[in-house]
PDB file of all heavy atoms in Angstrom:
ATOM      1  N   GLU A   9      73.147  89.637 111.197  1.00  0.00           N
ATOM      2  CA  GLU A   9      73.726  88.256 111.094  1.00  0.00           C
ATOM      3  C   GLU A   9      74.568  88.028 109.841  1.00  0.00           C
ATOM      4  O   GLU A   9      75.624  87.481 109.939  1.00  0.00           O
ATOM      5  CB  GLU A   9      72.563  87.227 111.195  1.00  0.00           C
ATOM      6  CG  GLU A   9      72.043  87.088 112.577  1.00  0.00           C
ATOM      7  CD  GLU A   9      70.852  86.161 112.658  1.00  0.00           C
ATOM      8  OE1 GLU A   9      70.453  85.631 111.613  1.00  0.00           O
ATOM      9  OE2 GLU A   9      70.311  86.016 113.785  1.00  0.00           O
ATOM     10  N   PRO A  10      74.136  88.464 108.640  1.00  0.00           N
ATOM     11  CA  PRO A  10      74.968  88.227 107.479  1.00  0.00           C
ATOM     12  C   PRO A  10      76.292  88.980 107.548  1.00  0.00           C
ATOM     13  O   PRO A  10      77.317  88.529 107.024  1.00  0.00           O
ATOM     14  CB  PRO A  10      74.132  88.746 106.317  1.00  0.00           C
ATOM     15  CG  PRO A  10      72.767  88.708 106.797  1.00  0.00           C
ATOM     16  CD  PRO A  10      72.840  88.945 108.290  1.00  0.00           C
ATOM     17  N   ALA A  11      76.453  90.079 108.232  1.00  0.00           N
ATOM     18  CA  ALA A  11      77.679  90.803 108.372  1.00  0.00           C
ATOM     19  C   ALA A  11      78.679  89.956 109.142  1.00  0.00           C
ATOM     20  O   ALA A  11      79.863  89.940 108.806  1.00  0.00           O
ATOM     21  CB  ALA A  11      77.418  92.130 109.073  1.00  0.00           C
ATOM     22  N   GLU A  12      78.211  89.254 110.178  1.00  0.00           N
ATOM     23  CA  GLU A  12      79.092  88.353 110.930  1.00  0.00           C
ATOM     24  C   GLU A  12      79.544  87.193 110.120  1.00  0.00           C
ATOM     25  O   GLU A  12      80.680  86.729 110.219  1.00  0.00           O
ATOM     26  CB  GLU A  12      78.433  87.915 112.193  1.00  0.00           C
ATOM     27  CG  GLU A  12      78.187  89.021 113.226  1.00  0.00           C
ATOM     28  CD  GLU A  12      77.387  88.579 114.421  1.00  0.00           C
ATOM     29  OE1 GLU A  12      77.172  87.359 114.558  1.00  0.00           O
ATOM     30  OE2 GLU A  12      76.995  89.412 115.199  1.00  0.00           O
ATOM     31  N   GLU A  13      78.703  86.722 109.203  1.00  0.00           N
ATOM     32  CA  GLU A  13      79.040  85.560 108.388  1.00  0.00           C
ATOM     33  C   GLU A  13      80.107  85.953 107.368  1.00  0.00           C
ATOM     34  O   GLU A  13      80.945  85.183 107.010  1.00  0.00           O
ATOM     35  CB  GLU A  13      77.807  85.034 107.657  1.00  0.00           C
ATOM     36  CG  GLU A  13      76.840  84.293 108.610  1.00  0.00           C
ATOM     37  CD  GLU A  13      75.600  83.833 107.885  1.00  0.00           C
ATOM     38  OE1 GLU A  13      75.619  83.850 106.646  1.00  0.00           O
ATOM     39  OE2 GLU A  13      74.658  83.457 108.557  1.00  0.00           O
ATOM     40  N   LYS A  14      80.082  87.192 106.879  1.00  0.00           N
ATOM     41  CA  LYS A  14      81.052  87.653 105.905  1.00  0.00           C
ATOM     42  C   LYS A  14      82.447  87.607 106.458  1.00  0.00           C
ATOM     43  O   LYS A  14      83.400  87.216 105.797  1.00  0.00           O
ATOM     44  CB  LYS A  14      80.732  89.059 105.454  1.00  0.00           C
ATOM     45  CG  LYS A  14      79.639  89.121 104.421  1.00  0.00           C
ATOM     46  CD  LYS A  14      79.501  90.548 103.934  1.00  0.00           C
ATOM     47  CE  LYS A  14      78.451  90.633 102.826  1.00  0.00           C
ATOM     48  NZ  LYS A  14      78.297  92.031 102.334  1.00  0.00           N
ATOM     49  N   LYS A  15      82.616  87.996 107.744  1.00  0.00           N
ATOM     50  CA  LYS A  15      83.974  87.991 108.348  1.00  0.00           C
ATOM     51  C   LYS A  15      84.546  86.625 108.410  1.00  0.00           C
ATOM     52  O   LYS A  15      85.691  86.372 108.116  1.00  0.00           O
ATOM     53  CB  LYS A  15      83.879  88.613 109.736  1.00  0.00           C
ATOM     54  CG  LYS A  15      83.631  90.110 109.727  1.00  0.00           C
ATOM     55  CD  LYS A  15      83.580  90.705 111.128  1.00  0.00           C
ATOM     56  CE  LYS A  15      83.239  92.143 111.109  1.00  0.00           C
ATOM     57  NZ  LYS A  15      83.055  92.722 112.420  1.00  0.00           N
ATOM     58  N   SER A  16      83.732  85.640 108.815  1.00  0.00           N
ATOM     59  CA  SER A  16      84.256  84.278 108.937  1.00  0.00           C
ATOM     60  C   SER A  16      84.387  83.659 107.504  1.00  0.00           C
ATOM     61  O   SER A  16      85.260  82.840 107.307  1.00  0.00           O
ATOM     62  CB  SER A  16      83.270  83.415 109.805  1.00  0.00           C
ATOM     63  OG  SER A  16      82.043  83.318 109.185  1.00  0.00           O
ATOM     64  N   SER A  17      83.548  84.049 106.582  1.00  0.00           N
ATOM     65  CA  SER A  17      83.673  83.444 105.225  1.00  0.00           C
ATOM     66  C   SER A  17      84.951  83.951 104.531  1.00  0.00           C
ATOM     67  O   SER A  17      85.480  83.239 103.669  1.00  0.00           O
ATOM     68  CB  SER A  17      82.464  83.781 104.424  1.00  0.00           C
ATOM     69  OG  SER A  17      82.354  85.174 104.134  1.00  0.00           O
ATOM     70  N   ARG A  18      85.412  85.174 104.909  1.00  0.00           N
ATOM     71  CA  ARG A  18      86.651  85.692 104.285  1.00  0.00           C
ATOM     72  C   ARG A  18      87.836  84.752 104.715  1.00  0.00           C
ATOM     73  O   ARG A  18      88.681  84.402 103.902  1.00  0.00           O
ATOM     74  CB  ARG A  18      86.886  87.098 104.719  1.00  0.00           C
ATOM     75  CG  ARG A  18      88.110  87.679 104.063  1.00  0.00           C
ATOM     76  CD  ARG A  18      88.249  89.155 104.416  1.00  0.00           C
ATOM     77  NE  ARG A  18      89.471  89.682 103.805  1.00  0.00           N
ATOM     78  CZ  ARG A  18      89.987  90.820 104.116  1.00  0.00           C
ATOM     79  NH1 ARG A  18      89.410  91.594 105.015  1.00  0.00           N
ATOM     80  NH2 ARG A  18      91.114  91.231 103.510  1.00  0.00           N
ATOM     81  N   TRP A  19      87.903  84.413 105.978  1.00  0.00           N
ATOM     82  CA  TRP A  19      88.953  83.522 106.444  1.00  0.00           C
ATOM     83  C   TRP A  19      88.819  82.129 105.772  1.00  0.00           C
ATOM     84  O   TRP A  19      89.819  81.545 105.375  1.00  0.00           O
ATOM     85  CB  TRP A  19      88.835  83.357 107.976  1.00  0.00           C
ATOM     86  CG  TRP A  19      89.806  84.242 108.695  1.00  0.00           C
ATOM     87  CD1 TRP A  19      89.455  85.308 109.500  1.00  0.00           C
ATOM     88  CD2 TRP A  19      91.213  84.125 108.778  1.00  0.00           C
ATOM     89  NE1 TRP A  19      90.618  85.852 110.017  1.00  0.00           N
ATOM     90  CE2 TRP A  19      91.690  85.161 109.575  1.00  0.00           C
ATOM     91  CE3 TRP A  19      92.161  83.256 108.216  1.00  0.00           C
ATOM     92  CZ2 TRP A  19      93.041  85.357 109.826  1.00  0.00           C
ATOM     93  CZ3 TRP A  19      93.506  83.410 108.449  1.00  0.00           C
ATOM     94  CH2 TRP A  19      93.926  84.486 109.264  1.00  0.00           C
ATOM     95  N   LYS A  20      87.594  81.642 105.688  1.00  0.00           N
ATOM     96  CA  LYS A  20      87.366  80.394 105.093  1.00  0.00           C
ATOM     97  C   LYS A  20      87.793  80.368 103.654  1.00  0.00           C
ATOM     98  O   LYS A  20      88.374  79.461 103.145  1.00  0.00           O
ATOM     99  CB  LYS A  20      85.904  79.979 105.183  1.00  0.00           C
ATOM    100  CG  LYS A  20      85.474  79.557 106.600  1.00  0.00           C
ATOM    101  CD  LYS A  20      84.042  79.182 106.634  1.00  0.00           C
ATOM    102  CE  LYS A  20      83.554  78.854 108.043  1.00  0.00           C
ATOM    103  NZ  LYS A  20      82.148  78.514 108.144  1.00  0.00           N
ATOM    104  N   SER A  21      87.483  81.457 102.935  1.00  0.00           N
ATOM    105  CA  SER A  21      87.842  81.525 101.509  1.00  0.00           C
ATOM    106  C   SER A  21      89.414  81.607 101.371  1.00  0.00           C
ATOM    107  O   SER A  21      89.970  81.003 100.439  1.00  0.00           O
ATOM    108  CB  SER A  21      87.212  82.722 100.814  1.00  0.00           C
ATOM    109  OG  SER A  21      87.747  83.940 101.310  1.00  0.00           O
ATOM    110  N   MET A  22      90.077  82.292 102.254  1.00  0.00           N
ATOM    111  CA  MET A  22      91.550  82.349 102.210  1.00  0.00           C
ATOM    112  C   MET A  22      92.202  80.982 102.489  1.00  0.00           C
ATOM    113  O   MET A  22      93.131  80.595 101.851  1.00  0.00           O
ATOM    114  CB  MET A  22      92.118  83.424 103.183  1.00  0.00           C
ATOM    115  CG  MET A  22      91.849  84.799 102.696  1.00  0.00           C
ATOM    116  SD  MET A  22      92.695  86.075 103.698  1.00  0.00           S
ATOM    117  CE  MET A  22      94.328  85.777 103.268  1.00  0.00           C
ATOM    118  N   VAL A  23      91.591  80.266 103.474  1.00  0.00           N
ATOM    119  CA  VAL A  23      92.090  78.948 103.759  1.00  0.00           C
ATOM    120  C   VAL A  23      91.855  77.998 102.603  1.00  0.00           C
ATOM    121  O   VAL A  23      92.698  77.197 102.243  1.00  0.00           O
ATOM    122  CB  VAL A  23      91.489  78.406 105.078  1.00  0.00           C
ATOM    123  CG1 VAL A  23      91.808  76.924 105.285  1.00  0.00           C
ATOM    124  CG2 VAL A  23      91.960  79.165 106.232  1.00  0.00           C
TER     125      VAL A  23
END
Side-chain angles (χ1 to χ4, degrees):
E9 287 174 0
E12 292 175 11
E13 288 177 13
K14 280 186 178 181
K15 290 179 184 177
S16 65
S17 67
R18 183 175 178 194
W19 263 110
K20 287 179 183 178
S21 67
M22 287 188 69
V23 170

